[in-house]
């Protein structure tokens, strides 16, 4: 049964308790579909005796997958080892990493982002047979168009071979009659001579041939670089399952139930993958709403949900119509509006003997406010929106800034609202997936790196001088610029000569001395070819930049620290994947990305973006969210709905495999987008527009507003600027609710590392796990990761050989009979060794030699009796108490099969301990709790294995120790949940990663 105490309506309960066979859940906006999916997963595990790894749940974003996993985690009584809740692409990637070798793929392939794809093509343009799509003025102009075309082909599971075969058929068709129909209408055809038709046909065939050959070249280039793009993940998984039936059978047998969220967003290839995986048992549950299908531009095929009943005629249908979000009048208007898409909607398609309705029924009382706001100019529209937000906020103590959302059709429309809210003193957050390179902290870092590459980079030096850490006055900077221009030299040269100018104060000379000293120190690191991460860490520490940025817990500082962390991860990724990773190499990459139109990807987490801010976002970004008050802006002709923009290179109709929907596909999609925006609103829906957006002509109202007016929405009269007034005079009186300090983001589950950090010093925990400040690496950490990685790969190799040996010996279990060589172990070490954060080449070589000695000793000690490894890097999530508040997660290095149960082994580098304190044991005691509770296996031995000396220290926790640890962990988590992080200065400060920026450090 569903979770005790949880109230499900009849339809939700029927969906959760559905037994066998296919199930279509049509879940309208705000009807609790995520609750239904997670409750169904928990029900299958608890009542149908399914193990968590026997259920596959697929969705479309990492955020959605994470939220689903978190909800399931709360519902399961003990925890889990392996929950298969993934995005489609993450699932395919996991499968290909495990089995890609079966179809000739390297299992260590690199997954390329869109920008990395662009860079790969740009750097290899000579390998592409381009003529038509390679204009002389801009040879890289069509790279994005080609890549989008290739992606579209992969959405349809069209291989380069399929494309080339299609082109060959065109060439063999002498008159091209069928093909001509697709490019020229009958009336135009009559006006052309046979010669002209022949020329057009030849040109079109040449163009199609060029695209097909370019697609083939691109795919070969990916394979040559051991790389895949996102479309490849699905297509190669399909190829694996269709050509290697044994692998398909393995997964069919494993997954007893498959559930898919947002089914209306699947593309053709993803649906084909699903149908393969489900197999004859057809235990497939799909949840979706055709009225919320808004991702056609990403390849989503709405025909999938419309065709589901044709593919699975025996499927049970459940419509979730009870809405727990919005007022009834908002739902009624939205429903009457979306019915303009009839007769192409699922509600009409499934209408038959049973009368099915998608009309939503509000489960909350009251009427929502639905208003049209219309300004004379764009500025008036923006002011009307901001004033309405302020009025609603000030009129109710129960309203917070996070209850408001301003939705735009495109990111470019957000700037005016951002500026107006800032002028009005209203806290806001522009939620965007792009724009990292335009953030202040990233611009500061890029400017400094450019400066180290070239001292005479004027704009970079100017930005460096204006950093608040230097406290250089604006008048002094203006004076410097004056002398630089007068002398015809760079700012850097002027700085070097500033002492001789007699125009600057002693304080300024001191500041400049410090600045130049830092610059020269870091330039020397660049000359020594230090990695970019080391240079950035030096800048953050030596200038005091990081200390100043992390001094407060303000929304602005947390936001900038978040951007800093994302940029730092980008640099780390660059260093891990590039053979050349100097500062100059990194700057070259950024320049190429900017040339490609890349603005820098942003990780969006609304919980971390500030708990009490007005959200400005695109309608696409708002899907899945809800707000008390929603403003849908710029409702004028050609903005919403937009003009249809066809792909620069269209996929030939003959190659398209999905069933093309009928009617005006673009207008239907735009209407669904409007419907999604409307159904985000709980209590207030505000539709805004203006007559003048700065063009030659006034704008007509959106046809959607006209449709809504026909449905009863009163349209507003135009409001002139003088009636709106100046926003600066309308700053809200900030109430106590605004002044309250917003808590930092706190996790829902905790690792051993987090617990130890908080126990040692809560302020350290704040730096590491709340502010997430990047830390400088250490040689011992790089060495430890190298050793762990080596042994993991070696035992994987051993496990493969053991399995093969077992088969050869008809089930023999003697691990000592497996042949493994010391050379294989050392080769893995050579390939796995992480060459980071060593102070010198000498130190690096010393660590490397130490590792070789340790591994040789490890091999000699075990070669005649290798352990029977049950699992490597085994993940776990488990609750140490009922209720789900005290949840721990982590990874166990190695689990060995021993008589009567398991041995848990954790590798350590460093000196072996002869006696373990209670604190030393805690990590492995947590693992013991996890293994016995989640794996349901008896733990017979806990082992710390010290690799440097090849010594093992073993023990086992008794009931008293485990109970005491549970109590201690719960107490620590209780303290963390308070959101208070007082400092605990002491000897620990000497070894703290944040010693340089902590004002409380022990001196």
């Amino acid at each position: 049964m569903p979770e005790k105490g949880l109230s499900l309506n009849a339809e939700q309960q029927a969906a959760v308790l559905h037994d066998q066979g296919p199930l279509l859940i049509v879940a309208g906006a705000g009807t609790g579909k995520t609750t239904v999916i997670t409750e169904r997963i928990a029900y299958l595990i608890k009542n149908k005796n399914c193990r968590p790894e026997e259920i596959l749940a697929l969705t479309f974003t990492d955020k959605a997958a994470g939220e689903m996993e978190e909800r399931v985690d709360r519902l399961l009584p003990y925890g889990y080892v392996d929950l298969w809740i993934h995005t489609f692409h993450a699932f395919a990637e996991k499968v290909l990493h495990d089995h890609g070798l079966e179809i000739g793929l390297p299992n260590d392939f690199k997954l390329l982002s869109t920008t990395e794809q662009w860079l790969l093509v740009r750097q290899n343009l000579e390998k592409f047979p381009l003529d038509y799509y390679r204009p002389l003025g801009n040879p890289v102009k069509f790279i994005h168009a080609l890549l989008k075309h290739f992606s579209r082909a992969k959405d349809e599971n069209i291989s380069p071979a399929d494309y080339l075969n299609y082109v060959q058929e065109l060439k063999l068709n002498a008159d091209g009659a069928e093909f001509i129909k697709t490019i020229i209408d009958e009336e135009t055809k009559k006006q052309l001579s046979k010669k002209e038709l022949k020329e057009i046909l030849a040109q079109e065939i040449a163009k199609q041939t060029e695209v097909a050959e370019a697609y083939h070249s691109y795919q070969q280039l990916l394979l040559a670089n051991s790389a895949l793009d996102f479309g490849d993940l699905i297509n190669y998984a399909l190829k694996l399952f269709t050509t290697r039936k044994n692998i398909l059978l393995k997964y069919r047998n494993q997954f007893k139930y498959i559930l898919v969220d947002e089914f209306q967003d699947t593309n053709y290839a993803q649906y084909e993958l699903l149908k393969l995986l489900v197999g004859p048992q057809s235990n497939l549950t799909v949840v979706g709403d055709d009225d919320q299908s808004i991702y056609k531009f990403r390849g989503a095929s709405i025909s999938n949900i419309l065709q589901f009943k044709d593919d699975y005629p025996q499927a049970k249908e459940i419509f979730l119509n009870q809405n727990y979000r919005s007022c009834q009048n908002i739902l009624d208007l939205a429903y009457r509006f979306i019915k303009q898409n009839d007769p192409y909607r699922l509600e009409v398609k499934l209408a038959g003997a049973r009368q099915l309705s998608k009309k939503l029924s509000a489960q909350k009382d009251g009427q929502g406010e639905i208003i049209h706001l219309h300004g004379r100019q764009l500025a008036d529209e923006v002011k009307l929106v901001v004033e309405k937000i302020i009025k609603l906020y000030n009129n109710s103590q129960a309203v917070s800034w996070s209850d408001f959302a301003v939705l735009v059709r495109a990111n470019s429309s957000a700037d005016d609202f951002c500026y107006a809210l800032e002028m009005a003193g209203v806290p806001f957050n522009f939620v965007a997936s792009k724009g990292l390179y335009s953030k202040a902290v990233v611009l500061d870092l890029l400017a400094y790196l450019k400066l180290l590459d070239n001292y005479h980079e004027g704009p970079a030096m100017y930005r460096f001088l204006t950093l608040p850490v230097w406290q250089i006055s604006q008048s002094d900077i203006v004076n410097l610029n004056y002398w630089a221009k007068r002398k015809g030299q760079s700012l850097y040269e002027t700085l070097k000569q500033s002492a001789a100018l007699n125009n600057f104060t002693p304080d300024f000379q001191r500041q400049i001395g410090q600045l130049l000293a830092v610059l020269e120190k870091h330039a020397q690191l660049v000359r020594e070819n230090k990695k970019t991460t080391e240079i950035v860490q030096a800048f953050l520490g030596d200038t005091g930049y990081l200390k100043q940025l992390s001094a407060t817990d303000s929304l602005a500082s947390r936001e900038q620290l978040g951007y800093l962390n994302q940029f730092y991860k980008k640099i780390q990724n660059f260093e891990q994947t590039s053979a050349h990773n100097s500062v100059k190499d990194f700057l070259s990459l950024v320049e190429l990305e900017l040339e490609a139109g890349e603005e820098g990807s942003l990780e969006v987490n609304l919980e971390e973006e500030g708990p009490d801010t007005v959200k400005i976002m695109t309608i696409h970004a708002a899907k899945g969210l809800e707000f008390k008050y929603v403003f849908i802006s710029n409702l004028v002709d050609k903005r919403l709905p937009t003009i249809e923009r066809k792909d620069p290179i269209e996929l030939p109709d003959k190659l398209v495999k999905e069933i093309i929907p009928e009617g005006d596909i673009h207008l239907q999609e735009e209407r669904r987008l409007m419907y999604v925006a409307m159904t985000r609103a709980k209590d207030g829906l505000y539709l805004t527009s203006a007559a003048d957006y700065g063009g030659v002509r006034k704008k007509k109202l959106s046809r959607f507003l006209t449709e809504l007016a026909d449905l009863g929405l009163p349209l507003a009269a135009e409001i002139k600027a003088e009636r709106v007034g100046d926003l600066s005079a309308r700053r809200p009186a900030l109430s106590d609710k605004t002044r309250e300090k917003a808590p930092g983001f706190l996790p829902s589950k905790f690792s051993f590392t987090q617990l130890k950090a908080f126990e040692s010093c809560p302020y350290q925990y704040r730096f590491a796990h709340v502010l997430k400040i990047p830390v400088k690496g250490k040689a011992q950490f790089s060495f430890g990761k190298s050793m762990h990685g080596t042994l993991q790969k070696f035992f994987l190799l051993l496990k493969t050989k053991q399995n093969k040996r077992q088969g050869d010996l008809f089930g023999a279990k003697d691990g000592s009979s497996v042949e493994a060589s010391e050379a294989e172990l050392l080769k893995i070490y050579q390939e796995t060794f992480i060459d980071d954060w060593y102070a010198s080449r000498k130190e690096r070589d010393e660590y490397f030699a130490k590792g070789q000695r340790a591994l040789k000793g490890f091999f000699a000690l075990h070669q005649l009796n290798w352990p029977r490894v049950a699992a490597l890097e085994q993940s776990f999530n488990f609750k140490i108490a009922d209720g789900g508040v005290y949840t721990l997660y982590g990874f166990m290095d190695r689990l060995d099969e021993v008589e009567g149960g398991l041995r848990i082994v954790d590798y350590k580098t460093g000196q072996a301990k002869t006696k373990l304190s209670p604190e030393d044991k805690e990590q492995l005691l947590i693992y013991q709790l996890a293994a016995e509770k989640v794996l349901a296996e008896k733990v017979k031995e806990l082992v710390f294995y010290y690799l440097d000396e090849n010594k093992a220290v073993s023990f086992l926790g008794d009931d008293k120790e485990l109970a005491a640890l549970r109590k201690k962990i719960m107490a620590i988590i209780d303290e963390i949940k308070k959101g208070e992080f007082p400092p605990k200065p002491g000897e620990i400060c000497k070894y703290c990663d944040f010693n340089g920026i902590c004002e409380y450090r022990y001196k």
Side-chain angles (χ1 to χ4, degrees), residues 186-377:
E186 282 299 321
E187 193 60 38
T188 306
K189 184 180 176 183
K190 292 175 185 177
Q191 301 171 18
L192 298 173
S193 66
K194 287 185 178 181
K195 182 180 178 183
E196 288 172 324
L197 282 172
K198 189 174 182 180
E199 288 175 354
I200 292 172
L201 179 62
Q203 186 180 54
E204 288 296 326
I205 290 176
K207 187 168 70 172
Q208 294 292 342
T209 303
E210 182 173 307
V211 173
E213 291 178 349
Y215 185 21
H216 175 74
S217 298
Y218 170 69
Q219 211 59 28
Q220 293 301 114
L221 189 61
L222 286 173
L223 291 174
N225 286 271
S226 297
L228 274 63
D229 64 23
F230 279 92
D232 285 330
L233 293 174
I234 306 299
N235 289 7
Y236 279 125
L238 272 170
K239 181 179 179 181
L240 175 71
F241 290 149
T242 52
T243 60
R244 299 292 182 265
K245 299 297 184 184
N246 57 323
I247 305 297
L248 175 61
L249 191 61
K250 171 186 180 297
Y251 284 100
R252 278 187 178 177
N253 290 337
Q254 177 179 339
F255 300 128
K256 293 181 178 178
Y257 293 89
I258 298 178
L259 301 92
V260 183
D261 191 14
E262 305 289 8
F263 182 63
Q264 76 278 352
D265 295 332
T266 55
N267 60 38
Y268 175 85
Q270 289 165 339
Y271 190 24
E272 290 299 299
L273 185 66
L274 270 179
K275 287 188 281 190
L276 270 177
L277 276 169
V278 170
Q281 69 272 26
S282 298
N283 283 332
L284 172 62
T285 297
V286 299
V287 187
D289 180 8
D290 60 308
D291 291 334
Q292 297 186 73
S293 177
I294 59 174
Y295 291 111
K296 180 66 179 173
F297 69 96
R298 292 184 188 170
S301 173
I302 191 173
S303 61
N304 287 347
I305 193 168
L306 298 176
Q307 293 297 317
F308 185 79
K309 279 290 287 184
D310 293 337
D311 295 328
Y312 298 96
Q314 77 277 30
K316 183 176 180 180
E317 302 155 10
I318 296 177
F319 278 51
L320 302 183
N321 291 341
Q322 294 187 40
N323 178 283
Y324 297 90
R325 175 186 300 159
S326 307
C327 294
Q328 188 65 56
N329 61 325
I330 294 175
L331 296 176
D332 289 344
L333 184 63
Y335 177 68
R336 295 199 302 272
F337 172 75
I338 197 59
K339 279 184 70 64
Q340 310 298 311
N341 273 355
D342 286 348
Y344 310 113
R345 296 170 55 248
L346 190 64
E347 182 179 42
V348 178
K349 180 180 173 62
L350 293 181
R354 283 200 305 145
Q355 192 62 39
L356 299 172
S357 173
K358 292 181 64 182
K359 188 177 188 299
L360 300 177
S361 173
Q363 302 304 297
K364 60 185 290 186
D365 297 328
Q367 292 287 294
E369 185 176 46
I370 307 175
I371 295 179
H372 174 221
L373 303 172
H374 186 55
R376 184 175 186 178
Q377 298 176 329

Side-chain angles (χ1 to χ4, degrees), residues 523-752:
Q524 180 59 35
L525 296 177
V526 172
R527 288 191 287 271
E528 294 171 4
N529 210 33
K530 295 293 185 182
K531 291 188 175 182
T532 309
T533 45
E534 295 186 55
I535 308 296
V536 169
Q537 283 288 349
F539 165 77
L540 294 174
D542 293 342
T543 63
Y545 188 98
L546 187 57
K547 183 176 182 179
Q548 186 177 77
L549 193 60
S550 59
T552 66
D553 273 336
S554 68
L555 172 62
S557 65
R558 285 204 306 274
E559 191 176 66
Q560 291 301 313
L561 281 166
Y563 297 143
L564 170 62
N565 197 39
Q566 290 183 47
F567 187 61
Y568 192 77
K569 287 179 183 175
K570 182 175 183 62
I571 301 173
Q572 287 179 314
N573 182 61
F574 162 75
E575 292 177 346
Q576 291 165 6
T577 57
S578 176
H580 306 286
N581 46 33
S582 66
V583 167
K584 185 183 284 291
D585 294 320
F586 178 70
L587 289 174
S588 296
L589 171 68
V590 173
E591 289 299 322
L592 282 171
E593 289 188 349
L594 292 171
E595 182 187 344
E598 173 65 46
E599 303 169 49
S601 298
L602 282 169
E603 299 171 9
V604 178
N605 187 327
L606 292 180
E607 291 175 320
E608 295 188 47
E609 292 286 348
D612 197 18
T613 58
V614 174
K615 302 300 186 292
I616 304 173
M617 63 180 72
T618 65
I619 300 172
H620 284 98
K623 189 169 182 293
L625 303 176
E626 58 184 42
F627 304 90
K628 271 192 178 181
Y629 306 108
V630 169
F631 295 77
I632 308 175
S633 65
N634 298 170
L635 283 168
V636 293
D637 186 41
K638 296 182 176 60
R639 291 204 174 192
L640 185 60
T642 60
I643 301 171
E644 182 176 11
R645 291 182 175 85
K646 293 187 179 293
D647 291 339
I649 308 172
E650 292 194 66
L651 204 60
D653 288 344
K654 192 170 181 180
L655 284 173
V656 175
K657 297 176 182 177
E658 69 168 296
I659 299 171
I660 305 298
E662 300 172 280
D664 188 333
I665 301 171
H666 174 71
L667 182 60
Q668 290 173 35
E669 174 110 346
E670 290 290 296
R671 194 175 281 115
R672 291 192 294 268
L673 193 64
M674 181 71 176
Y675 175 79
V676 165
M678 294 171 71
T679 53
R680 302 308 95 197
K682 296 180 181 180
D683 300 320
L685 176 62
Y686 306 94
L687 311 168
T688 78
S689 58
D692 185 355
Y693 285 81
V696 177
R697 296 185 181 87
K698 283 192 172 184
K699 287 283 189 182
K700 294 180 181 179
L701 289 179
S702 164
R703 68 174 288 167
F704 291 164
L705 274 178
T706 305
E707 290 175 6
L708 289 167
D710 292 340
L711 297 172
L713 173 72
L715 295 182
E718 186 179 297
I719 295 181
K720 298 179 183 179
E722 57 263 30
R723 288 180 56 193
V724 178
D726 181 13
L727 282 175
S728 63
R730 286 169 165 73
R731 292 176 182 270
L734 297 181
S735 61
D736 290 339
K737 62 183 177 183
T738 306
R739 299 181 188 280
E740 289 176 6
K741 182 181 174 183
F745 173 71
L746 297 176
S748 58
K749 52 188 177 182
F750 300 86
S751 67
F752 171 73

Side-chain angles (χ1 to χ4, degrees), residues 505-523:
T505 64
D507 281 346
F508 174 81
Q509 296 295 350
R510 177 182 52 77
Q511 291 163 331
I512 292 303
Q514 293 175 348
L515 182 151
L516 291 173
V518 167
L519 193 58
E520 177 53 38
K521 176 183 176 182
H522 298 166

Side-chain angles (χ1 to χ4, degrees), residues 418-459:
C418 292
Y419 178 74
L421 287 168
E422 186 172 11
M423 289 297 97
V426 174
F428 72 93
N429 179 248
F430 175 36
V431 182
S433 59
K434 299 285 184 183
L436 181 64
Y437 293 154
S438 65
K439 303 305 179 186
V441 65
V442 176
L443 289 171
D444 290 344
L445 287 171
L446 284 173
Y448 191 62
L449 293 175
K450 288 177 183 176
L451 194 57
L452 293 177
D453 186 51
N454 178 5
Y455 285 165
H456 305 291
E457 175 83 38

